[in-house]
């Protein structure tokens, strides 16, 4: 479908509520939906909360560490991610609340759970996936 396009979707009983029906739906009902695609958002790969639209900064930790104290608290991390999305440099998982995405991302990066991310803790998901794949091959 294209944005603005309308369609009628018919769902037969065996794919809908079946012979028993449901509250307000009679048994063996054929469901008919009029739908319109109002907007479309590109997603992110499975398992990802955020993706870069452009290249990530060469030194991501340095970009995150605004006050250059070698630690990135959640507030600093959150401001950076929000700025990347606002500037069109990154995209969060559609359908999720920005603050929840930031909290989850921060929690994943704060590996020792001390409330700050250090350069040693910070790792892109792509790097984590590669390490996991390399470790799996070493077992073979």
């Amino acid at each position: 479908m294209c944005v603005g396009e309308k369609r009628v979707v018919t769902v037969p009983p065996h794919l809908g509520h079946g012979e028993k029906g449901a509250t307000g739906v009679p048994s063996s009902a054929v469901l008919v939906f009029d739908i319109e695609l109002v907007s479309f958002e590109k997603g992110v790969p499975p398992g990802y909360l955020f993706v870069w639209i452009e290249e990530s900064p060469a030194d991501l930790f340095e970009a995150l560490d605004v006050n250059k104290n070698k630690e990135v608290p959640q507030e600093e991390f959150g401001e950076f991610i929000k700025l990347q999305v606002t500037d069109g440099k990154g995209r969060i998982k559609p359908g999720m609340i920005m603050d929840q995405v930031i909290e989850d991302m921060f929690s994943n990066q704060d590996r020792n759970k001390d409330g700050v991310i250090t350069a040693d803790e910070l790792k892109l998901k792509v790097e984590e996936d590669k390490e996991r794949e390399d470790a799996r091959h070493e077992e073979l």
Side-chain angles (χ1 to χ4, degrees), residues 39-86:
S39 67
F40 178 81
E41 290 182 42
K42 285 190 169 190
V44 298
Y48 285 71
L49 296 171
F50 173 88
V51 291
W52 292 98
I53 295 171
E54 299 179 358
E55 288 293 318
S56 62
D59 187 340
L60 182 56
F61 185 79
E62 193 172 308
L64 282 165
D65 188 17
V66 177
N67 62 6
K68 307 300 179 212
N69 67 347
K70 308 283 187 226
E71 296 180 334
V72 178
Q74 187 168 340
E75 299 77 31
E76 206 169 16
F77 182 84
E79 288 173 20
F80 177 81
I81 296 298
K82 287 176 184 176
L83 182 62
Q84 302 314 300
V85 173
T86 302

Side-chain angles (χ1 to χ4, degrees), residues 3-107:
V3 173
E5 189 175 345
K6 296 178 182 182
R7 297 227 178 140
V8 175
V9 177
T10 304
V11 181
H14 71 281
L15 296 175
H17 293 287
E19 292 180 14
K20 294 182 180 179
T23 305
V25 180
S27 61
S28 298
V30 174
L31 306 174
V32 179
F33 297 94
D34 291 316
I35 61 172
E36 177 182 357
L37 182 58
V38 177
S39 67
F40 178 81
E41 290 182 42
K42 285 190 169 190
V44 298
Y48 285 71
L49 296 171
F50 173 88
V51 291
W52 292 98
I53 295 171
E54 299 179 358
E55 288 293 318
S56 62
D59 187 340
L60 182 56
F61 185 79
E62 193 172 308
L64 282 165
D65 188 17
V66 177
N67 62 6
K68 307 300 179 212
N69 67 347
K70 308 283 187 226
E71 296 180 334
V72 178
Q74 187 168 340
E75 299 77 31
E76 206 169 16
F77 182 84
E79 288 173 20
F80 177 81
I81 296 298
K82 287 176 184 176
L83 182 62
Q84 302 314 300
V85 173
T86 302
D87 289 350
K89 295 178 181 176
R91 173 174 60 237
I92 68 165
K93 186 174 181 176
M96 293 192 71
I97 298 166
M98 175 71 79
D99 289 336
Q100 185 61 54
V101 169
I102 289 168
E103 187 177 317
D104 291 350
M105 288 174 64
F106 184 84
S107 178

Side-chain angles (χ1 to χ4, degrees), residues 100-119:
Q100 185 61 54
V101 169
I102 289 168
E103 187 177 317
D104 291 350
M105 288 174 64
F106 184 84
S107 178
N108 291 340
Q109 294 298 324
D110 184 16
R111 299 175 197 288
N112 63 4
K113 306 299 179 207
D114 65 350
V116 294
I117 300 170
T118 60

